[in-house]
Amino acid sequence: MKKTNRDIYKSIKTTPITILTTLLAFLALLLYFYNFRGSFSKDPHSWGAFGSYLNGTIGTLAAITAVIWLIISVNLQKKELEHVKAQLEKSAEEQIKQTTISAISAILNSSLQLINNYQNDLVALNNGEKHLHPFADAQHLHNKIDMEWRKMIFYQAKIESYLNDKYIDKSNENSEDDEPF
């Protein structure tokens, strides 16, 4: 099974703590048995004293270890949350760019459709069809087509700007080759 960065981080940080805690617990037991000659007592009071000793040494050691693990865990979660927050902010920025590009693309499609309609009206006007709007003359239609073309050029530049921000590496801005590939 492949270890993730989090698994590696946990094993590196917690293994020394676990080993140290275990060694200190054994040391506490060894000191107790060494001090009282390692014999087992039949007296309940001796067992009560032994339990108090373990509670005072190993219990305290376990509490300190738990606090250390808690601090490590909180710091790890803090780093992960910062990473997730940064990713969400980046994702939100990309979503805004995508939404803007979609909106501009819709405007471009609308302008293209209007140009096609105006060109059809010009063809109809040149064929002498009378079903056009009374104010529709060739000059008026040419002006509308020109206006839509200018709008399309403006919005195409906007899309190119967004795409350049997204896909072209900033470190290569001074390169002689302007091709993205």
Side-chain angles (χ1 to χ4, degrees):
M1 177 180 0
K2 185 178 177 183
K3 281 191 168 186
T4 64
N5 287 344
R6 184 176 182 182
D7 294 333
I8 293 169
Y9 180 79
K10 280 178 111 176
S11 67
I12 290 171
K13 291 293 187 181
T14 59
T15 301
I17 294 170
T18 305
I19 292 171
L20 182 64
T21 303
T22 305
L23 288 175
L24 288 175
F26 280 124
L27 180 64
L29 288 173
L30 286 174
L31 285 174
Y32 182 83
F33 285 119
Y34 177 76
N35 192 26
F36 296 104
R37 307 289 180 239
S39 61
F40 290 105
S41 174
K42 294 187 191 251
D43 182 21
H45 295 292
S46 297
W47 284 104
F50 179 69
S52 293
Y53 174 77
L54 288 181
N55 186 36
T57 57
I58 297 176
T60 304
L61 187 61
I64 291 171
T65 304
V67 169
I68 291 171
W69 281 357
L70 180 64
I71 291 170
I72 290 171
S73 176
V74 166
N75 285 334
L76 179 63
Q77 286 181 351
K78 182 179 177 183
K79 288 177 185 177
E80 287 177 354
L81 286 174
E82 288 171 357
H83 178 72
V84 167
K85 181 181 177 184
Q87 291 297 323
L88 285 174
E89 287 172 355
K90 186 176 179 180
S91 176
E93 290 172 6
E94 291 300 319
Q95 184 65 35
I96 289 170
K97 282 184 179 181
Q98 289 298 322
T99 302
T100 303
I101 289 172
S102 294
I104 292 172
S105 295
I107 291 171
L108 287 172
N109 288 335
S110 172
S111 291
L112 190 59
Q113 184 62 41
L114 281 172
I115 288 172
N116 286 335
N117 289 345
Y118 293 147
Q119 288 174 338
N120 288 339
D121 287 348
L122 274 175
V123 169
L125 187 64
N126 288 336
N127 289 338
E129 296 179 18
K130 302 291 186 198
H131 63 78
L132 297 175
H133 191 274
F135 298 116
D137 62 355
Q139 184 60 41
H140 177 73
L141 292 173
H142 282 292
N143 288 342
K144 288 203 172 258
I145 289 171
D146 287 342
M147 182 179 69
E148 290 301 323
W149 274 115
R150 284 193 300 274
K151 190 181 346 177
M152 286 183 67
I153 290 169
F154 172 78
Y155 285 117
Q156 283 176 336
K158 283 280 197 189
I159 285 180
E160 287 176 11
S161 170
Y162 274 98
L163 292 177
N164 284 340
D165 286 345
K166 182 172 180 159
Y167 295 112
I168 294 181
D169 185 15
K170 301 286 187 204
S171 64
N172 294 332
E173 284 183 357
N174 296 330
S175 69
E176 294 176 19
D177 186 19
D178 289 334
E179 295 295 324
F181 302 103

